[in-house]
Amino acid sequence: MNGAAARMPEASAITVPVPLGDRAYDIHVGRGLLGEAGRRIAALGARAAAIVTDENVGPLYAAALAASLEQNGLRTATIALPPGEATKSYASLERVCDAVLAAKIERGDLVVALGGGVVGDLAGFAAAVVRRGVRFVQIPTTLLSQVDSSVGGKTGINSRHGKNLVGAFHQPSLVLADTGLLDSLPLREMRAGYAEVVKYGLIDDPAFFDWCEKNWRGVFAGGPERDEAVAQSCRSKAAVVVRDEREDGDRALLNLGHTFGHALERITRYDSARLVHGEGVAIGLAQAFRFSAALGLCDEADARRVEAHLAAVGLPTRLSQVPGGYGTVDDILEAMAQDKKVKGGALTFILVRGIGQSFIARDVPVDRVRAFLQDEITPSRP
Amino acid sequence: MNGAAARMPEASAITVPVPLGDRAYDIHVGRGLLGEAGRRIAALGARAAAIVTDENVGPLYAAALAASLEQNGLRTATIALPPGEATKSYASLERVCDAVLAAKIERGDLVVALGGGVVGDLAGFAAAVVRRGVRFVQIPTTLLSQVDSSVGGKTGINSRHGKNLVGAFHQPSLVLADTGLLDSLPLREMRAGYAEVVKYGLIDDPAFFDWCEKNWRGVFAGGPERDEAVAQSCRSKAAVVVRDEREDGDRALLNLGHTFGHALERITRYDSARLVHGEGVAIGLAQAFRFSAALGLCDEADARRVEAHLAAVGLPTRLSQVPGGYGTVDDILEAMAQDKKVKGGALTFILVRGIGQSFIARDVPVDRVRAFLQDEITPSRP
């Protein structure tokens, strides 16, 4: 595998700049970028890199990445963690920080995250705190992490009090999204990541949603449409993050579909056999549109169109599609209340006036949410 | 004790501004500030505060602080940790973060560090990472933490690879240095903190060193000189930190006396029964001046004057004063090499051209350090 990296021709890449002042960086999107990672990363000027990966991804790509880095003059060490959400723990943070220090990574050196969202969040957090901050590079290996968690600088681990409650804002110095790596992704994971792609169109880019409807087959098949979908998603997210790096305002729009989605993840106890994050988001997106329509904010035709597209790619859009059930209306409301603060009987929601017309709605009465959910679970609905 | 806080008249305080842009904050220095901490902290606009302290300081002051905060409308919770350097651990970080989350501290709320450097470093780090950053307030209770660790925003814990290797730059929102709390500080700790006070004069403020020579008795006795010494130290450190917040340049001057000092702490295995940090710094300051004089950079009279002042307050200035011995010249050199990188047989040192005239000397030949240390340990020297 090592030799293959060196022999590959230079990959063409789409570059998405993230203009965050002295924390600005580029996202490169393209097929085959892993093979030339060493050259692109060496341009950052470090002398050493600690590669953080998991035991699924590591055996596939870590040796090639290390070889590519070493061919370009960087000393490397590799740290492989068990895959899965349980790895985003205090114990893993200690393990990664100590391993990065053992690898003699200095302030000018790098942590390279090679994996999905779990690896990116954990390695990014370790990079934020080792020596009070070293640079890091993201090489996201899932569609979800290429379009979501690798943009925005949020890093962290889970606490027993909730997910992602301990962490740091720490922007990467470079993101390499090799879309060829997605060829071996299970279809279910591909679909789940695609829910976040669609979300960017629904937030504020109706033309991109049109494009998704026309081009989704190419995204799944791995044509140039895949690169474009990843790049456009990164552009969209970057635009929001640049407006609101520390999540005090507009960044909340990125939560479209997530209030309902997180509640379903909580109800299914984060059991990925039942529901993965993107599936919860897909149902949540469809619900956000149906709820907006029920409130008279959005045309019912838009809600039907969103649902139809998500269903076409094989994503769930209805509570009845949650394997093992979703509990009662009160169960869902309680799960939502854990995520969002209920103030005086009202919730903050991301609602829509149409496709690409989302907005932050404060003071949504809980009673309206309850009535909507009641309507969602009546057998008369399809 | 609770009632006493409320009955105290308003304390007069010296305010030292730390102008770090959108991270600017004030340090208030004065006798009796703890009694009105609630009023000053409530002005920051939080609804809740998690007080982090240790099992020595907590029983003395935490209840009064909590009462003062609650009288001013803040909900409080108190977390008390075992005292001592071993508390700056990953396990303590987890404990404090989870306790802060259990106290339902939100992004607008506060962590309040009530204690010495260990508590400040740990609580500050927890504040930096809980919810990716909440605000924090320092109430330093030792002279060392009032003049050193509470200024500059360095927070962190120790790794098995070394001290303070995992952490964050996180500026406090407010520092309350109640100089009355030092009345109960053991004399040895008071002296050790005073070594850092003297350091500020030696770095770049000869007039402040003159002032120290004349006024040190008032600093120890707890007169207005103590407030002035703490305030002036904070001003000096703040000026350096404002020039170089992330420690890329000038901030290294704060390490005057610390290259030798850290080596001695390492040799004595951080055993505070043998040597505390400030004692190592005192010997290190005297050595930095004698070494500079030996190199012909600084007048011998200045070196003698520094040594005389440190000795007058009861601080050690010679290797022979390290209880239990300091090993060989090679032991000291090896301990120094762990702290500072040796590049091509040369070390980076903070040296002096006189009192208040320190500078960063790169490329100090190890051979010159060795010759100096050899001279230091010959019996002919006093």
Side-chain angles (χ1 to χ4, degrees):
Chain A
M1 178 118 211
N2 302 9
R7 283 196 306 274
M8 286 177 70
E10 190 162 315
S12 71
I14 304 172
T15 297
V16 179
V18 185
L20 285 168
D22 60 0
R23 294 177 303 290
Y25 64 94
D26 284 337
I27 303 168
H28 298 176
V29 180
R31 181 170 283 274
L33 287 179
L34 186 69
E36 53 184 72
R39 182 178 62 77
R40 291 179 190 258
I41 292 171
L44 297 172
R47 293 167 310 158
I51 299 166
V52 180
T53 188
D54 70 33
E55 290 159 5
N56 285 343
V57 173
L60 296 175
Y61 307 122
L65 174 60
S68 175
L69 289 165
E70 284 167 13
Q71 281 158 21
N72 285 275
L74 280 89
R75 182 167 50 75
T76 72
T78 298
I79 304 134
L81 297 148
E85 188 73 24
T87 287
K88 282 174 62 174
S89 65
Y90 291 100
S92 297
L93 179 71
E94 175 171 358
R95 187 173 155 194
V96 173
C97 288
D98 280 353
V100 169
L101 287 164
K104 300 196 182 300
I105 298 298
E106 305 276 347
R107 284 278 279 276
D109 295 330
L110 295 167
V111 169
V112 180
L114 173 71
V118 167
V119 164
D121 286 0
L122 175 64
F125 187 27
V129 299
V130 164
R131 298 184 184 279
R132 299 196 184 92
V134 299
R135 296 181 296 170
F136 85 114
V137 171
Q138 295 254 31
I139 305 183
T141 59
T142 64
L143 180 57
L144 180 61
S145 58
Q146 289 188 355
V147 301
D148 183 23
S149 53
S150 69
V151 189
K154 282 192 187 180
T155 70
I157 57 174
N158 303 326
S159 152
R160 62 188 172 84
H161 295 286
K163 290 181 69 166
N164 298 316
L165 286 178
V166 176
F169 287 96
H170 191 53
Q171 302 295 344
S173 296
L174 178 69
V175 177
L176 299 179
D178 183 342
T179 51
L181 304 185
L182 309 185
D183 291 346
S184 58
L185 206 65
L187 179 58
R188 188 179 172 205
E189 268 201 72
M190 191 72 192
R191 285 172 172 155
Y194 183 77
E196 297 277 359
V197 173
V198 171
K199 185 189 75 175
Y200 294 111
L202 299 178
I203 289 174
D204 62 1
D205 192 347
F208 183 55
F209 183 75
D210 294 350
W211 184 92
C212 285
E213 286 180 315
K214 291 186 186 72
N215 294 284
W216 69 270
R217 285 177 187 81
V219 177
F220 280 76
E225 298 89 347
R226 182 186 287 169
D227 294 7
E228 184 49 37
V230 171
Q232 184 55 35
S233 298
C234 291
R235 279 183 210 114
S236 292
K237 181 157 185 182
V240 175
V241 169
V242 166
R243 285 205 301 276
D244 179 23
E245 187 177 358
R246 306 282 300 193
E247 200 170 30
D248 302 312
D250 263 10
R251 191 158 171 169
L253 292 176
L254 296 172
N255 286 327
L256 179 61
H258 283 60
T259 304
F260 288 120
H262 281 157
L264 294 178
E265 284 187 88
R266 198 167 279 124
I267 283 173
T268 53
R269 297 169 190 276
Y270 300 99
D271 176 356
S272 59
R274 292 175 67 190
L275 195 78
V276 295
H277 176 70
E279 291 165 345
V281 169
I283 297 174
L285 289 171
Q287 289 191 302
F289 271 78
R290 287 195 298 268
F291 185 35
S292 299
L295 292 171
L297 294 166
C298 158
D299 201 316
E300 293 232 358
D302 279 348
R304 282 194 297 270
R305 194 177 149 201
V306 170
E307 184 171 344
H309 179 54
L310 294 168
V313 307
L315 280 163
T317 61
R318 295 275 168 180
L319 291 175
S320 58
Q321 291 170 283
V322 178
Y326 49 84
T328 65
V329 166
D330 281 331
D331 291 338
I332 300 172
L333 284 170
E334 196 188 309
M336 279 166 61
Q338 282 180 45
D339 197 40
K340 301 283 163 186
K341 274 186 294 299
V342 182
K343 279 186 193 164
L347 281 161
T348 295
F349 248 96
I350 313 302
L351 296 178
V352 291
R353 296 199 174 85
I355 287 167
Q357 298 178 60
S358 67
F359 65 100
I360 303 169
R362 307 190 197 280
D363 307 321
V364 176
V366 172
D367 287 349
R368 301 299 296 264
V369 184
R370 182 188 303 277
F372 167 70
L373 288 171
Q374 196 61 53
D375 197 35
E376 286 269 293
I377 66 173
T378 52
S380 66
R381 305 277 307 195
Chain B
M1 179 118 210
N2 302 10
R7 282 196 305 275
M8 285 177 71
E10 189 162 317
S12 70
I14 305 172
T15 297
V16 179
V18 185
L20 284 168
D22 61 0
R23 294 177 303 289
Y25 65 94
D26 284 338
I27 304 169
H28 298 175
V29 180
R31 180 171 282 275
L33 287 181
L34 186 68
E36 53 183 72
R39 181 177 64 74
R40 291 179 191 259
I41 292 171
L44 297 173
R47 295 167 309 157
I51 300 166
V52 180
T53 188
D54 71 33
E55 290 160 6
N56 285 343
V57 173
L60 296 174
Y61 307 122
L65 174 59
S68 175
L69 288 165
E70 284 167 15
Q71 281 158 21
N72 284 276
L74 280 90
R75 182 168 49 75
T76 72
T78 299
I79 303 135
L81 297 147
E85 189 72 24
T87 287
K88 282 175 61 175
S89 65
Y90 291 100
S92 297
L93 178 71
E94 175 172 358
R95 186 173 155 193
V96 174
C97 287
D98 280 352
V100 169
L101 287 164
K104 299 195 182 300
I105 298 298
E106 305 277 347
R107 284 280 279 275
D109 295 329
L110 295 166
V111 169
V112 179
L114 174 70
V118 168
V119 164
D121 286 0
L122 175 64
F125 187 26
V129 299
V130 164
R131 299 185 183 280
R132 298 196 185 93
V134 298
R135 296 181 297 169
F136 85 114
V137 171
Q138 295 254 33
I139 306 184
T141 60
T142 64
L143 179 57
L144 179 61
S145 57
Q146 290 187 356
V147 301
D148 183 21
S149 53
S150 70
V151 190
K154 281 192 189 180
T155 71
I157 57 174
N158 303 325
S159 151
R160 62 188 171 83
H161 295 284
K163 289 181 71 166
N164 298 316
L165 286 178
V166 176
F169 286 97
H170 190 54
Q171 301 295 344
S173 295
L174 179 68
V175 177
L176 300 178
D178 183 342
T179 51
L181 304 184
L182 308 185
D183 291 346
S184 58
L185 206 64
L187 179 59
R188 188 179 171 205
E189 267 200 74
M190 191 73 191
R191 284 172 172 154
Y194 184 76
E196 296 278 359
V197 173
V198 171
K199 185 189 75 175
Y200 294 111
L202 299 178
I203 289 175
D204 62 1
D205 191 348
F208 182 55
F209 183 76
D210 293 351
W211 183 93
C212 286
E213 287 180 315
K214 291 186 187 72
N215 295 284
W216 69 270
R217 285 177 187 81
V219 177
F220 280 76
E225 298 89 348
R226 182 186 288 170
D227 293 7
E228 184 49 37
V230 171
Q232 184 54 36
S233 298
C234 291
R235 278 183 212 114
S236 291
K237 181 156 184 182
V240 175
V241 169
V242 166
R243 283 206 302 275
D244 179 22
E245 187 177 359
R246 307 281 301 193
E247 199 168 31
D248 303 312
D250 262 12
R251 192 158 171 169
L253 292 176
L254 297 172
N255 286 327
L256 179 61
H258 282 60
T259 304
F260 287 120
H262 281 157
L264 294 177
E265 284 187 88
R266 197 166 281 123
I267 283 172
T268 54
R269 297 168 190 274
Y270 300 98
D271 177 356
S272 60
R274 292 174 67 190
L275 195 79
V276 295
H277 176 70
E279 291 165 347
V281 169
I283 297 173
L285 288 171
Q287 288 191 302
F289 272 78
R290 288 195 297 268
F291 185 35
S292 297
L295 292 171
L297 293 165
C298 157
D299 200 317
E300 294 232 358
D302 279 347
R304 281 193 298 270
R305 193 176 150 201
V306 170
E307 183 171 345
H309 179 53
L310 293 169
V313 306
L315 281 163
T317 60
R318 293 277 169 180
L319 290 176
S320 58
Q321 291 170 282
V322 177
Y326 48 83
T328 66
V329 166
D330 281 330
D331 291 338
I332 299 173
L333 283 171
E334 196 189 308
M336 279 166 61
Q338 283 180 44
D339 196 39
K340 300 283 164 190
K341 274 186 294 297
V342 182
K343 279 185 193 165
L347 281 163
T348 295
F349 248 96
I350 312 303
L351 295 178
V352 292
R353 295 198 174 85
I355 287 168
Q357 297 177 62
S358 67
F359 65 99
I360 303 169
R362 308 190 197 280
D363 307 320
V364 177
V366 173
D367 286 349
R368 301 300 295 265
V369 185
R370 182 189 303 276
F372 167 71
L373 288 171
Q374 197 61 54
D375 197 35
E376 286 270 292
I377 66 173
T378 51
S380 66
R381 306 274 310 195

